[in-house]
Amino acid sequence: AQSVTQLGSHVSVSEGALVLLRCNYSSSVPPYLFWYVQYPNQGLQLLLKYTTGATLVKGINGFEAEFKKSETSFHLTKPSAHMSDAAEYFCAVSDQAGNTPLVFGKGTRLSVIA
Amino acid sequence: NAGVMQNPRHLVRRRGQEARLRCSPMKGHSHVYWYRQLPEEGLKFMVYLQKENIIDESGMPKERFSAEFPKEGPSILRIQQVVRGDSAAYFCASSPPSIGELFFGEGSRLTVL
């Protein structure tokens, strides 16, 4: 069975500061990993994904994440936070065959302080 | 290219009534997933369907909940005899076969009075 743990249900950063949202996964098979963002009263939008190949993945809005197999981690970062980054962020895992539904973490709410 | 369409966006029901939530996947997508979102709990998988087939319903409550994805028309999540605990946002997502990435709709927010 697969699972995702997101450390910190709420993270607050100053505008212009580094954003770091943590995600650890558990999977018995090689994983596909995803980060989604959700703005209030909206659906989820894909930020980035890791499937195979390069372990540093770049996504939209200046976000990136690095797959570290030895640490079973897929942390999300952005060098400089913007007010518009305030949202809820979800990490998710599935198997590489795409046969299993995505399993989501509980989410991390990011606040950006002016 | 239209995204995943869900309706209604908001639905209010009294206890004991039925709720029907509809989802039209993106064009060319044959896989549909339903998730439920409760505050502070993230998204919980409910059911995975392909046209006319339920592939995985391991997340569906055993009673009152059912889902279908007919050959023609949208996928429907049906909740019979709703209770207050059913109040939540229900998200539909679709994907092409064996891709893994899901494309989400805007959600249907059910309130049970």
Side-chain angles (χ1 to χ4, degrees), chain A residues 69-83:
Chain A
K69 183 178 179 181
S70 61
E71 298 177 8
T72 60
S73 69
F74 191 56
H75 301 330
L76 181 71
T77 60
K78 181 174 180 178
S80 176
H82 191 272
M83 297 298 288

Side-chain angles (χ1 to χ4, degrees), chain B:
Chain B
N1 186 16
V4 177
M5 303 301 293
Q6 289 189 247
N7 68 82
R9 292 292 311 278
H10 299 276
L11 182 64
V12 179
R13 287 287 178 267
R14 296 188 181 280
R15 282 179 294 171
Q17 292 184 319
E18 178 179 289
R20 286 195 181 208
L21 310 177
R22 289 175 290 278
C23 169
S24 296
M26 288 181 68
K27 187 176 181 180
H29 288 190
S30 57
H31 296 205
V32 166
Y33 305 78
W34 285 94
Y35 285 80
R36 177 163 61 177
Q37 184 177 34
L38 292 166
E40 312 300 327
E41 292 190 17
L43 281 83
K44 298 293 188 184
F45 167 74
M46 299 181 74
V47 62
Y48 163 33
L49 310 103
Q50 296 176 18
K51 285 283 188 181
E52 301 184 282
N53 282 305
I54 296 175
I55 306 303
D56 182 350
E57 57 181 347
S58 59
M60 285 276 273
K62 298 300 181 190
E63 297 179 350
R64 302 187 298 108
F65 284 72
S66 62
E68 62 177 6
F69 189 17
K71 185 177 181 180
E72 301 291 337
S75 175
I76 295 175
L77 179 67
R78 181 183 179 201
I79 312 172
Q80 295 178 291
Q81 299 175 336
V82 296
V83 301
R84 288 207 174 122
D86 297 331
S87 296
Y90 292 84
F91 287 93
C92 172
S94 70
S95 77
S98 300
I99 294 295
E101 175 184 346
L102 299 185
F103 297 80
F104 281 83
E106 300 270 298
S108 291
R109 284 157 181 81
L110 172 66
T111 301
V112 179
L113 301 178

Side-chain angles (χ1 to χ4, degrees), chain A residues 50-103:
Chain A
Y50 167 79
T51 54
T52 57
T55 56
L56 182 61
V57 180
K58 295 186 184 298
I60 62 172
N61 301 338
F63 284 93
E64 62 182 35
E66 186 171 10
F67 170 58
K68 292 187 176 181
K69 183 178 179 181
S70 61
E71 298 177 8
T72 60
S73 69
F74 191 56
H75 301 330
L76 181 71
T77 60
K78 181 174 180 178
S80 176
H82 191 272
M83 297 298 288
S84 61
D85 295 327
E88 185 130 24
Y89 292 80
F90 293 94
C91 181
V93 63
S94 74
D95 69 15
Q96 285 197 348
N99 294 323
T100 59
L102 290 190
V103 175

Side-chain angles (χ1 to χ4, degrees), chain A residues 15-37:
Chain A
E15 191 174 19
L18 172 71
V19 175
L20 171 60
L21 304 182
R22 300 178 186 274
C23 171
N24 289 90
Y25 70 91
S26 172
S27 178
S28 58
V29 298
Y32 280 2
L33 294 159
F34 306 82
W35 276 99
Y36 282 84
V37 61

